[in-house]
């Protein structure tokens, strides 16, 4: 598993596909959007978004995750937004700990963290 993070519109996907040469079939792009949608679902779910994503990654260990950074800046007043940022941040910490490679992309340039 690999994790690529960075701000919005920083060239993360282009970096992953062009510079790193990773096939799109392995990429889970916009991870933050998927996570938000799962948190917003009103229907009861058997698994939390955290458990669901970790179960998927266990079955697909070659997955490459691309995720926007959401924890920088001012803390939102909205309680959902605070919960979303906190839970996504904690999940990304868990994913990063298990990942073989972690990179932060800024202006299309990767900085290897792990």
């Amino acid at each position: 598993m690999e994790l690529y993070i960075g701000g919005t519109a920083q060239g993360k996907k282009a970096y992953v596909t062009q510079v790193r040469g990773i096939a799109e079939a392995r990429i889970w792009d916009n991870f933050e959007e998927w996570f938000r949608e799962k948190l917003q679902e009103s229907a009861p779910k058997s698994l939390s978004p955290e458990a669901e994503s970790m179960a998927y990654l266990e079955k697909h260990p070659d997955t490459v995750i691309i995720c926007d950074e959401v924890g920088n800046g001012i803390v939102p007043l909205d309680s959902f937004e605070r919960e979303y940022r906190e839970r996504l941040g904690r999940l990304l910490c868990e994913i990063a700990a298990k990942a073989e490679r972690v990179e932060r992309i800024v202006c299309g340039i990767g900085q290897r963290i792990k």
Side-chain angles (χ1 to χ4, degrees), residues 1-5 15-17 20-23 26-28 31 57 60-67 92 95-96 98-103 112 114:
M1 172 182 14
E2 297 181 19
L3 173 62
Y4 295 86
I5 59 170
Y15 178 85
V16 169
T17 58
R20 297 280 300 134
I22 296 170
R26 290 182 49 204
I27 298 173
W28 186 347
F31 185 78
L57 294 171
H60 303 91
D62 64 336
T63 300
V64 174
I65 297 171
I66 299 175
C67 186
L92 289 174
I95 290 170
K98 295 181 179 187
E100 295 173 15
R101 181 182 197 102
V102 179
E103 287 195 45
R112 188 159 184 182
K114 176 182 176 186

Side-chain angles (χ1 to χ4, degrees), residues 71-105:
N72 295 331
I74 298 171
V75 176
L77 291 174
D78 182 70
S79 62
F80 173 81
E81 290 298 319
R82 287 193 308 272
E83 178 184 4
Y84 159 68
R85 285 171 45 151
E86 180 71 23
R87 287 177 66 178
L88 178 59
R90 290 184 184 277
L91 176 58
L92 289 174
C93 289
E94 187 176 345
I95 290 170
K98 295 181 179 187
E100 295 173 15
R101 181 182 197 102
V102 179
E103 287 195 45
R104 182 168 190 251
I105 314 304

Side-chain angles (χ1 to χ4, degrees), residues 26-68:
R26 290 182 49 204
I27 298 173
W28 186 347
D29 196 9
N30 300 311
F31 185 78
E32 74 288 347
E33 291 176 13
W34 172 86
F35 189 83
R36 176 187 289 278
E37 289 172 11
K38 289 293 181 177
L39 282 179
Q40 289 175 326
E41 286 179 358
S42 59
K45 36 190 175 283
S46 59
L47 291 176
S48 68
E50 293 91 342
E52 188 175 338
S53 59
M54 293 309 286
Y56 178 87
L57 294 171
E58 286 288 323
K59 292 180 184 174
H60 303 91
D62 64 336
T63 300
V64 174
I65 297 171
I66 299 175
C67 186
D68 283 357

